[in-house]
Amino acid sequence: MTAEPLTRSELFVQLRKELFGEERSTFSKTHIFVILGASGDLAKKKIYPTLWWLFRDGLLPDNTYFVGFARSNLTVQNIKAECLPYMKVSDGDHECLSAFFSKNSYLRGRYDDGPSFDQLGTHMSSLPGGTDANRLFYLALPPTVYQHVSTNIRAHCMSSRGWNRVIVEKPFGRDLQSSQELSAHLGSLFTEDHIYRIDHYLGKEMVQNLMVLRFGNRIFGPIWNRNSVASVVLTFKEPFGTQGRGGYFDDFGIIRDVMQNHLLQMLCLVAMEKPASTSPDDVRDEKVKVLKCVAPVSLSDVVLGQYVADPQGEGDSRLGYLDDPTVPKGSCTPTFATAVVYVQNERWDGVPFILRCGKALNERKAEVRLQFTDVPGDIFGERCQRNELVVRVQPDEAIYLKMMTKRPGVYFSPEETELDLTYRSRYKNVKLPDAYERLILDVFCGNQMHFVRSDELREAWRIFTPLLHQIEREKTQPIPYIYGSRGPTEADDLTRRVGFRYEGKYKWVKPNTT
């Protein structure tokens, strides 16, 4: 007999109890959430909508106020009008929405100006319970102003009677040196428990599920190692190009934008040893141990690509990366990269971890794929493909195991199929929260498990900085690939060379959820 699913309100009551638990009195204090960069795209499209969803669902502490701060001459009404298209407001939500914006305020100021932050501090203290409030500062800003803003927060805006937490958005520097300088600056102002370096991929349902999948199931433990795993592929694909943001993207490139953070974080969760507990530092200790076992990436183990126009395409696909007017002429910035790294420890020695990411590819997809070794003693005449365990992060969250079974009917021949857990069909009544919802809620709760620690960041940059410097110093030319393709064929050659076997005959089909 299957238990009836909890209603939405029951789920939220249960979650609040789980989150706030015996510390409910802590959450009765006033909390002030400050959005620095309130006029920017990130605030408009992600942060304000996320705070609204958490407020609407009753997941924030009761006395929470929201303060926007930016250089623009705005009002709360301006912010509301800008954010509404992204807030998913239903017909019955308008009263609640009015209550949300009644708790909002906005101040105009300069990021390098002490008196502006003095005014911000005074404003926070004037809010109900503001002098004793817990304060959260979200830096939705370009890294160029982090130093001024963090210094001014420390000097003018810290609460002396509550806790203070600072959320920092990536990119956390451009290379090892700039990252170390940023970490040293933040470390001179705040302790590590104040700092929440946010990588939104760590808030995604299936990324968080990797730990439960690995350490909550007996069946995976004995095969999760070099004896059974032939290769691990971590993929991030987008079906669109830079779409007019080429000037920003060209400063960073696909390796800094995706590989050094999102894909490396997923690699850590796949490769790490079982932590002593689920406490944030126990988990992050194990992730750092993995990174310390990875040597800096060599250019010989990398394929770089840059998309060009599809002459047969339509719309954006008729424009290559260099056709974007915001991209410098002759730019060598890669929009695609495949890199092979090795975790040189007892569990994984010799197993290639293949990191693939790119823009303007044939589909939108992010996934983790473990390909297992061949079955020894083949009795089926090489008609069996390798087993694969796939964790699909987006879209259509799923876990499926590709396996061989007998073809139904009178035949006695093997056929490839899957054991499939597709979330949309299995959990029809469950709303999966947005990654930012989870992570911002974690900041309120003081849980740093899904945030990047300074030593973790240092090791990640150590792995990629020599490659990035070599590419930029030598102006390495990326291989052209057509908009909407799978990327350069040379990337497939590299993955084959290190042992990944791509059959190309089988495709996972999303189950019918109706």
Side-chain angles (χ1 to χ4, degrees):
M1 182 175 173
T2 306
E4 285 294 314
L6 295 174
T7 66
R8 190 181 180 85
S9 59
E10 287 170 336
L11 280 168
F12 293 136
V13 168
Q14 181 176 304
L15 183 55
R16 275 185 75 104
K17 185 176 180 181
E18 181 181 324
L19 292 171
F20 305 157
E22 297 303 314
E23 300 179 14
R24 187 67 187 89
S25 59
T26 303
F27 282 81
S28 64
K29 282 191 73 167
T30 294
H31 290 68
I32 302 173
F33 193 104
V34 183
I35 304 103
L36 295 134
S39 60
D41 266 9
L42 179 63
K44 174 174 69 178
K45 296 178 180 177
K46 276 292 179 188
I47 300 170
Y48 276 107
T50 298
L51 292 170
W52 152 241
W53 297 328
L54 291 171
F55 179 88
R56 176 198 63 193
D57 294 338
L59 291 175
L60 293 180
D62 296 329
N63 301 315
T64 301
Y65 294 87
F66 312 96
V67 181
F69 182 95
R71 291 174 296 201
S72 304
N73 187 18
L74 295 174
T75 65
V76 170
Q77 281 304 113
N78 297 143
I79 292 171
K80 180 178 179 180
E82 290 281 306
C83 297
L84 270 177
Y86 308 98
M87 296 180 83
K88 303 175 188 171
V89 180
S90 64
D91 290 340
D93 287 337
H94 292 290
E95 187 176 334
C96 187
L97 186 70
S98 295
F100 171 72
F101 277 107
S102 73
K103 288 176 171 278
N104 274 260
S105 53
Y106 176 80
L107 277 79
R108 182 185 183 187
R110 296 205 322 268
Y111 300 126
D112 60 350
D113 181 48
S116 293
F117 280 81
D118 204 26
Q119 184 185 6
L120 175 60
T122 301
H123 173 70
M124 286 191 286
S125 296
S126 73
L127 295 170
T131 53
D132 298 329
N134 297 323
R135 298 179 180 182
L136 300 84
F137 302 90
Y138 199 120
L139 275 58
L141 296 162
T144 49
V145 298
Y146 280 179
Q147 189 160 342
H148 289 306
V149 169
S150 53
T151 300
N152 280 322
I153 288 172
R154 179 74 216 184
H156 302 283
C157 299
M158 299 280 278
S159 171
S160 58
R161 299 180 186 174
W163 47 249
N164 300 272
R165 292 168 187 164
V166 179
I167 307 172
V168 185
E169 270 280 351
K170 77 173 187 71
F172 314 117
R174 286 182 50 82
D175 57 12
L176 181 58
Q177 182 181 345
S178 58
S179 173
Q180 288 285 82
E181 289 169 357
L182 176 59
S183 289
H185 173 73
L186 292 174
S188 71
L189 302 171
F190 311 107
T191 58
E192 186 66 28
D193 62 316
H194 287 134
I195 303 168
Y196 289 71
R197 298 174 191 84
I198 192 168
D199 180 342
H200 76 275
Y201 250 65
L202 288 175
K204 290 198 174 282
E205 177 71 31
M206 303 312 290
V207 174
Q208 294 194 356
N209 199 11
L210 280 168
M211 276 187 60
V212 179
L213 186 70
R214 285 195 59 193
F215 304 124
N217 292 293
R218 180 71 180 91
I219 58 174
F220 292 125
I223 60 172
W224 209 274
N225 55 50
R226 63 192 298 269
N227 298 322
S228 300
V229 178
S231 60
V232 180
V233 184
L234 303 115
T235 302
F236 177 99
K237 298 167 77 173
E238 290 180 329
F240 49 83
T242 51
Q243 296 180 324
R245 294 179 66 249
Y248 169 82
F249 179 85
D250 201 76
D251 252 0
F252 296 95
I254 198 71
I255 295 175
R256 289 186 179 94
D257 196 40
V258 176
M259 188 176 283
Q260 181 270 344
N261 38 72
H262 300 336
L263 294 187
L264 210 54
Q265 286 292 331
M266 291 198 290
L267 181 151
C268 288
L269 293 169
V270 171
M272 72 183 193
E273 297 299 319
K274 188 175 185 177
S277 73
T278 57
S279 77
D281 278 332
D282 283 346
V283 172
R284 296 193 294 181
D285 285 347
E286 294 304 331
K287 289 165 70 181
V288 171
K289 288 178 188 175
V290 170
L291 294 174
K292 286 183 174 180
C293 294
V294 178
V297 184
S298 167
L299 188 56
S300 60
D301 288 327
V302 175
V303 171
L304 304 174
Q306 187 184 86
Y307 69 87
V308 296
D310 177 4
Q312 312 300 321
E314 297 177 357
D316 288 343
S317 66
R318 294 185 66 84
L319 297 174
Y321 180 68
L322 296 179
D323 298 321
D324 185 331
T326 64
V327 171
K329 290 188 183 303
S331 170
C332 297
T333 298
T335 61
F336 172 96
T338 293
V340 180
V341 301
Y342 293 88
V343 180
Q344 296 166 340
N345 62 14
E346 185 175 1
R347 179 182 293 272
W348 295 112
D349 190 34
V351 176
F353 284 75
I354 302 163
L355 283 58
R356 295 173 61 104
C357 53
K359 289 184 169 292
L361 295 172
N362 60 325
E363 60 183 331
R364 175 176 177 251
K365 181 169 76 172
E367 69 177 25
V368 177
R369 182 178 298 260
L370 276 74
Q371 186 173 91
F372 294 93
T373 53
D374 295 316
V375 176
D378 177 30
I379 61 173
F380 296 107
E382 299 183 355
R383 288 178 291 171
C384 291
Q385 277 74 54
R386 286 177 168 179
N387 298 141
E388 292 183 349
L389 177 66
V390 181
V391 179
R392 180 178 285 260
V393 176
Q394 67 180 31
D396 302 312
E397 294 89 345
I399 302 169
Y400 61 97
L401 178 66
K402 287 171 61 174
M403 56 181 287
M404 303 306 299
T405 186
K406 175 189 167 296
R407 185 184 302 175
V410 296
Y411 312 98
F412 189 74
S413 54
E415 181 177 71
E416 197 171 15
T417 185
E418 82 279 326
L419 293 175
D420 191 345
L421 167 59
T422 296
Y423 271 46
R424 192 174 294 177
S425 56
R426 175 63 180 83
Y427 301 114
K428 290 182 180 177
N429 297 315
V430 175
K431 168 192 172 284
L432 295 181
D434 178 83
Y436 277 89
E437 286 184 82
R438 298 174 194 276
L439 295 177
I440 286 178
L441 197 54
D442 278 347
V443 181
F444 274 95
C445 296
N447 181 3
Q448 290 185 302
M449 182 195 299
H450 305 299
F451 294 83
V452 182
R453 204 168 62 187
S454 58
D455 54 347
E456 194 178 343
L457 184 61
R458 181 177 64 246
E459 291 300 325
W461 278 119
R462 175 191 60 80
I463 293 165
F464 281 101
T465 292
L467 171 70
L468 290 164
H469 284 181
Q470 183 180 356
I471 290 168
E472 288 159 1
R473 183 176 63 250
E474 298 176 1
K475 298 194 183 310
T476 305
Q477 286 292 329
I479 300 164
Y481 65 94
I482 293 175
Y483 195 122
S485 67
R486 293 185 66 249
T489 56
E490 288 84 350
D492 291 330
D493 296 338
L494 172 63
T495 58
R496 266 193 301 270
R497 191 166 75 241
V498 299
F500 177 72
R501 189 178 299 166
Y502 177 67
E503 302 291 341
K505 299 172 184 174
Y506 176 86
K507 189 169 179 66
W508 175 73
V509 178
K510 182 174 67 174
N512 186 351
T513 57
T514 57

